[in-house]
Amino acid sequence: MPVNQFQSGRHFLQIPGPTNVPDRVLRAMDKPTIDHRGPEFAALAGRCLDGIKTIFKTQSDVIIFPASGTGAWEAALVNTLQSGDHVLMVETGHFASLWHKMANKLGVVTEFLETDWRSGADPQALATRLFEDTTHQIKAVCVVHNETSTGCTSPIAKIRAVMDDINHPALLMVDTISSLASIDYRHDEWGVDVTVAGSQKGLLLPPGLSFNAVSQKALEVARSGGMPRSYWDWDEQIQANKNGAFPYTPATNLLYGLEVAIEMLHEEGLDTVFARHDRHAQTTRNAVQAWGLEILCQNPENYSSSLTAVVVPDGHDADAFREIVLKNFNMSLGNGLAKLAGKVFRIGHLGDFNDLMLLGTLSGVEMGLSLAGIPHQRGGVETAMQTLTKS
Amino acid sequence: MPVNQFQSGRHFLQIPGPTNVPDRVLRAMDKPTIDHRGPEFAALAGRCLDGIKTIFKTQSDVIIFPASGTGAWEAALVNTLQSGDHVLMVETGHFASLWHKMANKLGVVTEFLETDWRSGADPQALATRLFEDTTHQIKAVCVVHNETSTGCTSPIAKIRAVMDDINHPALLMVDTISSLASIDYRHDEWGVDVTVAGSQKGLLLPPGLSFNAVSQKALEVARSGGMPRSYWDWDEQIQANKNGAFPYTPATNLLYGLEVAIEMLHEEGLDTVFARHDRHAQTTRNAVQAWGLEILCQNPENYSSSLTAVVVPDGHDADAFREIVLKNFNMSLGNGLAKLAGKVFRIGHLGDFNDLMLLGTLSGVEMGLSLAGIPHQRGGVETAMQTLTKS
């Protein structure tokens, strides 16, 4: 059936974000916008600014920008780096590459540690490079915690440990856009200086808010340095935030939603949220293996609990498969990005999700594989049901 | 996990109604209530009163009551029958029994043709009884089109045909509460005198509206007879409806939803809606057969496309199974009613529904059967996927 025909029932939005927004969050946003200089707003802002710290697991300031995640990348760079500063980044995949490209455009001198886009950052490779940097030319190390294009995570705590081992003073900046509130993350405990996040994945919101959690050290660097900046300036935000205000018009209705999303994450319990994502990811991998297909991520230590990227056998087109799934089963799966285009599809299993939604999702994949004539064994859904009833 | 814990993702509401209300209908109702004597309301009422006729497939009047389906049963009886009048009803299951009980309470003299609750009404049995009624003492024949307690339909066109064959003047009154807008139904073509329906099943709305489609013949009977009545009086409704008004306060916001629900049913196309329900019902039956379980309905001609009632093997408790499914998978299945209590569970596959929602549903049943220790073969979901990709 063509896409423009009437579609009964719910769309399955199984890209790795934006994710399904819970009704409770939608209803919370479905209210009149209020005066962002008034007392009601100040109280709301206070609750959001305090609450979001518990999600990043930080005592430090978290800046909330009315912007998409890309904006929070830029904010991390322009507050801490000057034109000509050196940064070390890891090419974990497409999103790391975009962050890298942005840094270059802003005049930062980048070094980009290659990977094969099938694993996360290697702490040892970072250690080797940082060890050579005896003059501490490298001002920041930038890593993507969960690479949304590949379904590979990087071990942030280990990366911090190697930096500490060699006493390298570079800032550690981490993109958690597709991991925050889905995969365990600890800004303070792991000694991250700048954490970048967005609203539209584990945070259960539509796109439109992004975040920087900022260590004291990063804040000090920013106060005495960084690039000429205005919109992204941390200090102006922090000063305004003290009174429950923002230096320019905030995205009020998304903040209504943010307050409720934080509430929901704590009602479920962050550990339960992470365990749920782990369980659904393991179930998905078991299904992929039962189909006899290859998981893109080759290092089990780097398996992502937010999404699973699946390699389509040579001679088959992942995008043609995705189109069949969309047309026949009203489900959106993630496409392969950049050099993975046509070669992989990505199953998002993050955010507001449960067992039967996952099984509907995996059923759509399994039926789509049949309809697309992609060689596979049946039994992925069967295996998934067994995994879910045993765990 | 206990029911009172936080539940991520969507609830699977797979009872045979009330059904999942589409967001588009929810949003349509999410507006301020307007003056029900004003011109804006009159235009809305006109669109609803005209539009609903296309769903019943009738040119006659359709009365809309702010009431649940039970109210529309009562309206059918009190407008057409007097105390002491004889009616012939068919005991297709629990809901037919409730309608029968109501008729008795209202002073109607009822005859109740038994069935085993595993098939629909038998036109031949009705014909035999009506043929004996040479003095035309029987004033109405009451049949449930789709018996929600058993998942058996009754052949309304055939019942009309046998009544016509013997020229019996009784009114034909049909309950379509769980069939309208899910299973093909034709008020005019099938010569039905009073059709009873409710808002909360195939009509995609929350409960709160019910309907009587009324033939000219039934209207004439009502004008000269019936019981003392006020709330349920057809004539007062019809007079008021001519000006887009109702004789008492209508359920305004449900009418906002009704207008959009009718629009949606026509956008999908009624024939497509029926074919979708048929396909999902066939898929469900194939799954049940693959599990090696018994479908309650024993006559394939009477299989319901709205729901499937499944018999649990002796020595097992369907309600314990349903509780396990609710606790583990956040899915509500229908219980066995009256003499079927504990013996069957009912899978609703009607309303705003699609393939992946069905597969999530069937996965929840299959996993629940395992967890409840109910003897079955695996492979129901696998069979369902094969059915859906082949049809």
Side-chain angles (χ1 to χ4, degrees):
Chain A
M1 41 180 152
V3 173
N4 61 356
Q5 274 198 7
F6 186 93
Q7 301 274 20
S8 60
R10 301 211 138 255
H11 180 65
F12 273 61
L13 180 67
Q14 299 314 136
I15 58 174
T19 62
N20 298 290
V21 180
D23 284 354
R24 193 166 144 193
V25 170
L26 288 172
R27 291 303 82 71
M29 296 190 303
D30 185 11
K31 283 188 306 206
T33 303
I34 54 173
D35 171 15
H36 59 292
R37 310 281 184 212
E40 192 187 340
F41 180 85
L44 166 72
R47 293 191 299 272
C48 287
L49 289 160
D50 281 348
I52 194 64
K53 292 182 183 184
T54 62
I55 307 298
F56 284 88
K57 296 185 178 168
T58 185
Q59 309 281 334
S60 298
D61 289 301
V62 178
I63 321 287
I64 306 178
F65 294 106
S68 53
T70 302
W73 273 348
E74 183 155 323
L77 300 174
V78 299
N79 277 282
T80 58
L81 299 168
Q82 297 180 346
S83 180
D85 276 354
H86 286 240
V87 302
L88 181 59
M89 306 178 98
V90 186
E91 188 209 353
T92 43
H94 181 61
F95 290 99
S97 301
L98 290 177
W99 199 10
H100 171 252
K101 194 171 154 192
M102 171 187 273
N104 286 333
K105 277 193 182 171
L106 294 170
V108 173
V109 178
T110 57
E111 272 185 63
F112 207 28
L113 288 183
E114 278 188 24
T115 81
D116 56 2
W117 291 36
R118 304 195 67 167
S119 58
D122 173 10
Q124 207 42 60
L126 278 164
T128 304
R129 177 62 193 95
L130 291 170
F131 188 73
E132 295 164 5
D133 180 36
T134 49
T135 59
H136 296 165
Q137 221 185 5
I138 294 170
K139 300 300 175 201
V141 172
C142 297
V143 183
V144 175
H145 182 215
N146 182 71
E147 176 57 62
T148 319
S149 63
T150 66
C152 300
T153 59
S154 290
I156 304 305
K158 285 184 187 165
I159 291 168
R160 172 83 268 169
V162 301
M163 291 174 73
D164 286 349
D165 278 352
I166 56 176
N167 254 320
H168 198 293
L171 295 172
L172 175 57
M173 309 218 275
V174 180
D175 168 344
T176 64
I177 290 174
S178 62
S179 60
L180 191 78
S182 297
I183 300 172
D184 191 17
Y185 185 78
R186 309 169 186 205
H187 179 87
D188 283 3
E189 187 183 325
W190 294 350
V192 179
D193 292 299
V194 185
T195 300
V196 170
S199 53
Q200 73 277 18
K201 315 255 180 177
L203 270 181
L204 310 174
L205 291 162
L209 291 182
S210 61
F211 307 87
N212 277 172
V214 181
S215 72
Q216 202 51 43
K217 179 176 164 189
L219 218 50
E220 279 156 24
V221 169
R223 280 185 183 139
S224 60
M227 297 183 201
R229 61 192 183 271
S230 174
Y231 192 89
W232 307 117
D233 189 65
W234 290 340
D235 207 50
E236 276 191 44
Q237 292 276 350
I238 290 167
Q239 296 313 317
N241 287 174
K242 283 178 183 161
N243 304 311
F246 290 90
Y248 42 82
T249 313
T252 307
N253 291 48
L254 283 168
L255 295 174
Y256 293 152
L258 177 60
E259 181 179 20
V260 170
I262 295 168
E263 253 172 46
M264 289 175 70
L265 289 166
H266 288 304
E267 280 176 29
E268 182 168 6
L270 282 178
D271 288 343
T272 312
V273 170
F274 301 145
R276 166 164 63 81
H277 282 76
D278 291 345
R279 180 166 170 270
H280 287 162
Q282 181 63 57
T283 302
T284 301
R285 291 192 296 271
N286 289 358
V288 175
Q289 280 153 358
W291 291 322
L293 296 179
E294 203 181 338
I295 294 164
L296 181 67
C297 181
Q298 288 194 309
N299 182 351
E301 287 183 9
N302 298 151
Y303 281 152
S304 166
S305 288
S306 299
L307 76 142
T308 302
V310 181
V311 182
V312 163
D314 279 346
H316 293 273
D317 179 2
D319 289 337
F321 160 77
R322 289 173 49 255
E323 202 178 320
I324 283 169
V325 169
L326 179 60
K327 281 191 181 169
N328 286 275
F329 305 115
N330 194 14
M331 174 161 72
S332 297
L333 295 169
N335 60 335
L337 292 165
K339 69 181 184 186
L340 297 172
K343 296 184 167 64
V344 308
F345 63 89
R346 296 172 297 143
I347 305 170
H349 33 67
L350 73 167
D352 187 46
F353 203 53
N354 63 29
D355 288 5
L356 300 193
M357 293 167 82
L358 175 63
L359 287 164
T361 299
L362 296 174
S363 298
V365 172
E366 184 159 326
M367 293 188 297
L369 291 168
S370 286
L371 293 177
I374 293 177
H376 69 289
Q377 292 134 36
R378 300 196 72 96
V381 173
E382 169 71 25
T383 300
M385 287 191 287
Q386 285 178 14
T387 306
L388 290 172
T389 44
K390 278 174 193 156
S391 61
Chain B
M1 39 181 154
V3 172
N4 60 355
Q5 273 198 8
F6 185 92
Q7 300 274 20
S8 60
R10 299 211 141 254
H11 180 65
F12 273 61
L13 180 66
Q14 299 315 136
I15 57 174
T19 63
N20 297 290
V21 181
D23 285 355
R24 193 167 145 193
V25 170
L26 288 172
R27 291 306 80 72
M29 296 189 303
D30 186 10
K31 284 188 307 209
T33 304
I34 54 174
D35 172 14
H36 60 290
R37 311 278 185 216
E40 192 186 342
F41 180 85
L44 167 73
R47 293 191 298 273
C48 286
L49 289 160
D50 281 347
I52 193 65
K53 292 183 184 183
T54 63
I55 308 299
F56 285 88
K57 296 185 180 169
T58 184
Q59 309 280 337
S60 299
D61 290 301
V62 178
I63 321 288
I64 307 177
F65 295 108
S68 52
T70 302
W73 274 347
E74 184 156 321
L77 300 174
V78 299
N79 277 282
T80 57
L81 299 168
Q82 298 181 345
S83 180
D85 277 352
H86 285 239
V87 301
L88 181 59
M89 306 178 97
V90 186
E91 187 208 353
T92 44
H94 182 61
F95 290 99
S97 300
L98 290 177
W99 199 9
H100 171 253
K101 196 171 153 191
M102 172 187 271
N104 285 334
K105 277 193 181 169
L106 294 169
V108 172
V109 179
T110 56
E111 271 184 66
F112 208 28
L113 288 184
E114 278 189 24
T115 80
D116 56 2
W117 291 34
R118 303 194 70 165
S119 58
D122 174 9
Q124 208 42 59
L126 279 164
T128 304
R129 179 61 193 93
L130 290 170
F131 189 73
E132 294 164 5
D133 181 35
T134 48
T135 59
H136 297 164
Q137 217 181 11
I138 295 170
K139 301 298 177 202
V141 173
C142 297
V143 182
V144 174
H145 181 215
N146 183 70
E147 175 58 63
T148 320
S149 64
T150 66
C152 301
T153 60
S154 290
I156 304 304
K158 285 185 186 165
I159 290 168
R160 172 82 269 167
V162 302
M163 290 174 73
D164 285 349
D165 279 351
I166 56 177
N167 255 320
H168 199 291
L171 295 172
L172 175 57
M173 309 218 276
V174 179
D175 167 343
T176 65
I177 289 174
S178 62
S179 62
L180 191 79
S182 297
I183 301 171
D184 191 16
Y185 185 78
R186 309 169 186 204
H187 178 86
D188 283 2
E189 186 183 326
W190 293 351
V192 179
D193 293 299
V194 186
T195 300
V196 170
S199 53
Q200 73 276 16
K201 315 257 180 175
L203 270 181
L204 311 173
L205 291 163
L209 290 183
S210 60
F211 306 87
N212 278 172
V214 182
S215 72
Q216 203 50 43
K217 179 176 164 189
L219 218 51
E220 278 156 25
V221 169
R223 279 184 184 140
S224 61
M227 298 183 201
R229 61 193 182 268
S230 173
Y231 193 88
W232 307 117
D233 189 64
W234 289 340
D235 206 50
E236 276 192 46
Q237 292 276 351
I238 290 168
Q239 297 313 319
N241 286 174
K242 283 178 183 160
N243 304 311
F246 289 90
Y248 42 82
T249 313
T252 307
N253 291 50
L254 283 168
L255 294 174
Y256 294 153
L258 176 61
E259 181 179 19
V260 170
I262 294 168
E263 252 172 47
M264 291 175 69
L265 289 166
H266 287 304
E267 279 177 31
E268 183 169 6
L270 282 179
D271 288 343
T272 313
V273 170
F274 301 145
R276 167 165 62 81
H277 282 76
D278 291 345
R279 180 166 170 270
H280 287 162
Q282 181 63 57
T283 303
T284 302
R285 290 191 297 270
N286 290 358
V288 174
Q289 279 154 359
W291 290 323
L293 296 179
E294 201 181 339
I295 295 164
L296 181 67
C297 181
Q298 287 193 311
N299 182 352
E301 288 183 9
N302 298 151
Y303 281 151
S304 167
S305 287
S306 299
L307 77 141
T308 302
V310 181
V311 181
V312 163
D314 279 345
H316 293 274
D317 179 1
D319 289 336
F321 160 77
R322 289 173 50 254
E323 201 178 321
I324 283 170
V325 169
L326 179 60
K327 282 191 179 168
N328 286 276
F329 304 115
N330 195 14
M331 175 163 69
S332 297
L333 294 169
N335 60 335
L337 292 165
K339 70 183 184 185
L340 297 172
K343 295 184 167 66
V344 308
F345 62 90
R346 294 173 298 143
I347 305 170
H349 33 68
L350 74 165
D352 187 46
F353 203 53
N354 63 29
D355 288 5
L356 301 192
M357 293 167 83
L358 176 63
L359 287 164
T361 299
L362 296 175
S363 297
V365 172
E366 183 160 326
M367 293 189 297
L369 291 169
S370 287
L371 293 177
I374 293 178
H376 69 288
Q377 291 134 36
R378 299 196 73 95
V381 173
E382 170 71 26
T383 299
M385 287 191 288
Q386 286 178 14
T387 306
L388 289 173
T389 44
K390 277 172 195 160
S391 62

